[in-house]
């Protein structure tokens, strides 16, 4: 005869920690990512699987558990970009808990909006700094590059960018009145391109009519002063020319007088010589 049966139940835990394998960790937004964790055995009682991406457990996603393997299938969303994921196997009854190695996810995407400018009309005093701000909810992956234009001219000075915010700082000059400035966000990659402009911000200088009147008055004053100086210089130059002309004339007259006196002296001397010669010939006639 045979006795009754006795079932032997051995409780044990897996001898290894989960190993995480990912066939694709870099995808374009909308594509699927599949992560797979494997153990040598599920243990007894069987372990339960938990998936984490970042600091939080992943719920409402497709999971497939077969034997000692667990699969997590994720849709590539922008918020998964740069997230670090791993799996955890637990057996609460035997106080077993083991985490797998981790993988980092990359999701390539572009912003789904155009850049937003914070103010479309900026009224300031002349010669005061103006800061124009441009926003995006996300810069995408790879991140967009920021560019600024005023009246369609690329701005290289005063541009600053921090994350999803870009700024342009200019000193409002008279020439900047009614200048139209906007930002541009641009990104190119092998998955596509993004290139969008914001609306335009208009710089308005306060009290422009008063400034223009003052500038005109100052210009007239300056013109009058410059004209007076030019006239004075012309008069002085004329005086100098007349003075030099008189000096040259006096020198010329003095030279001519001296030369005439010298000619007269020479003529008198010659006459005296001729007279003496004649007297000697009369005293001693030639035989």
């Amino acid at each position: 005869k045979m006795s009754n049966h006795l079932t032997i139940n051995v409780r044990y835990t897996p001898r290894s920690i989960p190993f995480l394998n990912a066939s694709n960790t870099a995808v374009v937004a909308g594509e699927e990512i599949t992560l797979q964790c494997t153990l040598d055995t599920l243990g007894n009682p069987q372990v339960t699987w938990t998936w984490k991406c970042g600091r939080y457990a992943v719920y409402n996603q497709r999971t497939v558990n077969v034997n000692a393997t667990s699969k997590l299938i994720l849709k590539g969303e922008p918020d998964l970009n740069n997230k670090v994921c791993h799996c955890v196997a637990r057996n609460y009854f035997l106080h077993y808990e083991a985490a797998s190695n981790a993988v980092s996810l990359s999701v390539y995407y572009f912003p789904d909006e155009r850049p937003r400018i914070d103010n479309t009309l900026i009224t300031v005093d002349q010669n005061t700094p103006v800061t124009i701000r441009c926003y995006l909810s996300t810069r995408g992956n790879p991140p967009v590059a920021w560019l600024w234009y005023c009246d369609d001219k690329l701005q290289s000075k005063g541009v600053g960018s921090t994350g999803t915010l870009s700024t342009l700082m200019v000193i409002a000059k008279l020439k900047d009145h009614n200048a139209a400035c906007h930002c541009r966000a641009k990104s190119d990659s092998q998955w596509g391109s993004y290139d969008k402009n914001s609306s335009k911000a208009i710089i308005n200088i306060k009290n422009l009519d008063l400034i223009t009147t003052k500038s005109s008055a100052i210009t007239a004053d300056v013109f009058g002063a410059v004209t007076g100086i030019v006239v004075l210089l012309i008069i002085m130059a004329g005086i100098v020319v007349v003075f030099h002309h008189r000096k040259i004339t006096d020198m010329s007259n003095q030279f001519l007088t001296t030369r005439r006196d010298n000619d007269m002296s020479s003529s008198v001397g010659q006459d005296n010589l001729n007279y003496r010669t004649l007297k000697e010939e009369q005293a001693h006639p030639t035989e």
Side-chain angles (χ1 to χ4, degrees), residues 143-190:
V144 298
W146 291 102
L147 301 169
W148 280 91
Y149 298 84
C150 286
D151 290 339
D152 297 325
K153 295 180 181 178
L154 180 64
Q155 304 297 300
S156 58
K157 296 181 179 179
V159 177
S161 300
T162 304
T164 58
L165 169 68
S166 182
T167 59
L168 172 66
M169 196 280 287
V170 297
I171 304 298
K173 302 291 186 181
L174 193 59
K175 64 180 180 62
D176 297 319
H177 180 65
N178 284 335
C181 300
H182 71 276
C183 71
R184 176 186 180 190
K186 188 175 185 297
S187 178
D188 292 310
S189 70
Q190 58 182 328

Side-chain angles (χ1 to χ4, degrees), residues 12-13 16-17 21 40 44 111 125 133 148 150 161 181 196 222-223 266:
Y12 63 97
T13 62
S16 63
I17 63 173
N21 180 45
D40 59 333
N44 184 37
D125 294 318
R133 296 175 176 85
W148 280 91
C150 286
S161 300
C181 300
K196 294 185 182 296
V222 172
F223 177 77
S266 298

